[in-house]
Amino acid sequence: MKTLPAPSGSRSLRDRFDPIKLVIVLVLIVLAIGVWSIARNRVVGPLDGLVTERLCLDHGELIERPVTGYERSNRFGLVNRSYGSCSFGQGPEGEPPMTLTIEETEPGPLYRAAKWIGIIVQLGIVSIFLRLTVDPVLDLYRYVRSRAS
């Protein structure tokens, strides 16, 4: 019995699987995670710190206590995850210093909107990175591969 050759348009799984391309994609994923972390710490972090500081100052005025420190919420970060807090000094009646989490200060819609904007900015930066790198890198790989064969 005579077998017919496979149609020219179909390729076997072995021909479609390209380990070098897989490694390139994995490296791009790792780089994108790195860009996300850098965006979080270098771009969004300082703005987030200002928003948290303002929140703590406003709450300190409300409860009549000076702000002695604050920690921004970093729940969406890759490392150093925290829920944020505000530290306040002694109260007007001599009450001891206290620390409240961001949630305990009842942050309100503007704080939450600023947090969402931060997340959107992070994702936007990663998206721009991927848009600028993925196609050129894969096109270069295709070009080098076609020249090599």
Side-chain angles (χ1 to χ4, degrees), residues 81-94:
R81 295 173 61 88
S82 68
Y83 289 94
S85 63
C86 298
S87 299
F88 302 100
Q90 288 186 342
E93 303 291 320

Side-chain angles (χ1 to χ4, degrees), residues 5-46:
S8 60
S10 70
R11 297 177 357 194
S12 69
L13 180 61
R14 182 176 176 195
D15 291 338
R16 285 186 287 179
F17 179 73
D18 187 354
I20 295 173
K21 189 174 183 178
L22 178 65
V23 168
I24 290 171
V25 169
L26 290 175
V27 166
L28 287 171
I29 289 171
V30 169
L31 289 174
I33 291 171
V35 167
W36 184 23
S37 181
I38 290 169
R40 175 72 183 145
N41 293 324
R42 300 262 168 95
V43 177
V44 176

Side-chain angles (χ1 to χ4, degrees), residues 39-116:
R40 175 72 183 145
N41 293 324
R42 300 262 168 95
V43 177
V44 176
L47 297 173
D48 200 16
L50 290 173
V51 169
T52 303
E53 181 181 24
R54 184 75 250 160
L55 169 76
C56 292
L57 288 172
D58 289 346
H59 193 73
E61 289 175 7
L62 184 68
I63 62 173
E64 299 177 348
R65 289 178 180 247
V67 176
T68 58
Y70 66 90
E71 179 186 4
R72 68 184 177 91
S73 171
N74 196 20
R75 285 186 281 181
F76 299 104
L78 299 175
V79 293
N80 300 325
R81 295 173 61 88
S82 68
Y83 289 94
S85 63
C86 298
S87 299
F88 302 100
Q90 288 186 342
E93 303 291 320
E95 299 96 345
M98 62 189 248
T99 300
L100 297 175
T101 65
I102 295 295
E103 291 301 319
E104 291 173 326
T105 63
E106 299 175 10
L110 289 177
Y111 176 81
R112 295 188 196 292
K115 296 299 281 185
W116 277 107

